[in-house]
Amino acid sequence: RPELNKPVRIKFGYPIESFDTTGFFMVEGEDTTTFSISFTDSIRRKVEIAHEWQEKTAYRLLIPDSAFTDITGKSNDTLDIKFTSKSMEDYGNFFISVIPGKKGISHIIRLQKEDKIVEERRIYKNERLSFTYLTPGEYKLKVIIDSNDNGEWDTGDYIYKIQPEEVAFFEKIITIRANWDIEEEWYLETGKEKEPVESGLPESSDQ
């Protein structure tokens, strides 16, 4: 069953050459409802069926046979998909106030689960971030100091003596529980201008 905030996804073995959606229909509870369908990749193998799902509701999605024909000439059999949507109580929410060490620089904030990116945000100043519809489990929060503002982590360049962009992790593992909110604050020391360090040694003097 789909997440409340995500579409139903269908993946085909081969790129789709032609399709006809006239026979598609969806039932929400006891009433027919509207939805949108679109390909999400350039070779047309992945389809998303988007709808504003209502929680704890029974759905039936019918896709008639031969609606999709792939490049080999083969068509689909009838797809009769039945599922019940999740409840808001199945999810947890995570809110965090992020205070960058230096304002005006792009900071890429990544919420990760099992080393996969769940959500990504970019901030340039103090900001309270909301991560909602999170399934229970353990998450990590990572920041990349995106100094060149290109939206990705750069490894640097040894020849030109360019250092890799700074990376840091939030000190805590974020444990998301169903029907539970977590609130945190993160002050980023990375990205700050380094202050000169005094040695503490006395100045030399002429004898």
Side-chain angles (χ1 to χ4, degrees):
R1 56 180 178 170
E3 305 297 341
L4 281 176
N5 62 329
K6 295 179 181 179
V8 169
R9 295 184 173 94
I10 300 174
K11 185 177 180 180
F12 298 95
Y14 293 93
I16 298 301
E17 187 171 66
S18 62
F19 67 100
D20 180 6
T21 62
T22 54
F24 287 36
F25 76 84
M26 181 187 289
V27 177
E28 181 180 78
E30 298 181 356
D31 302 315
T32 56
T33 187
T34 59
F35 59 92
S36 63
I37 182 168
S38 60
F39 286 94
T40 61
D41 61 334
S42 59
I43 61 172
R44 309 214 312 182
R45 284 186 60 209
K46 300 176 183 179
V47 165
E48 284 190 350
I49 297 171
H51 177 72
E52 189 173 333
W53 311 111
Q54 303 301 309
E55 61 174 326
K56 296 186 287 187
T57 301
Y59 286 89
R60 181 187 179 194
L61 173 63
L62 182 68
I63 300 176
D65 68 285
S66 303
F68 294 96
T69 302
D70 65 29
I71 58 173
T72 70
K74 293 181 179 179
S75 300
N76 66 284
D77 294 325
T78 299
L79 296 174
D80 192 353
I81 305 170
K82 298 177 182 179
F83 59 90
T84 299
S85 59
K86 290 186 174 183
S87 165
M88 288 295 294
E89 295 177 354
D90 293 329
Y91 301 95
N93 302 307
F94 174 53
F95 307 98
I96 186 163
S97 297
V98 183
I99 301 95
K102 187 177 181 181
K103 310 298 187 292
I105 292 180
S106 170
H107 292 68
I108 301 172
I109 309 294
R110 287 179 177 170
L111 183 67
Q112 300 180 176
K113 185 178 185 183
E114 299 176 350
D115 294 325
K116 295 181 180 179
I117 299 173
V118 177
E119 289 192 50
E120 180 176 294
R121 310 283 176 79
R122 290 176 73 182
I123 65 170
Y124 295 84
K125 55 184 177 58
N126 296 5
E127 194 164 334
R128 184 176 183 269
L129 303 179
S130 300
F131 300 98
T132 56
Y133 294 99
L134 298 178
T135 55
E138 292 187 344
Y139 294 74
K140 294 180 181 179
L141 201 63
K142 177 180 180 179
V143 62
I144 298 169
I145 311 303
D146 182 26
S147 303
N148 61 2
D149 202 17
N150 69 345
E152 60 186 21
W153 180 69
D154 293 297
T155 58
D157 192 306
Y158 178 78
I159 295 175
Y160 293 100
K161 298 181 179 180
I162 299 174
Q163 295 292 321
E165 290 180 326
E166 291 181 83
V167 172
F169 286 88
F170 186 56
E171 60 184 6
K172 300 177 185 178
I173 297 294
I174 303 150
T175 302
I176 297 297
R177 296 181 175 86
N179 199 28
W180 197 262
D181 291 352
I182 297 176
E183 187 91 35
E184 291 283 359
E185 186 175 87
W186 193 11
Y187 181 79
L188 300 175
E189 291 290 343
T190 53
K192 292 183 68 177
E193 292 182 338
K194 293 180 173 61
E195 298 180 357
V197 178
E198 296 182 4
S199 66
L201 298 176
E203 296 181 0
S204 60
S205 59
D206 295 333
Q207 298 295 328

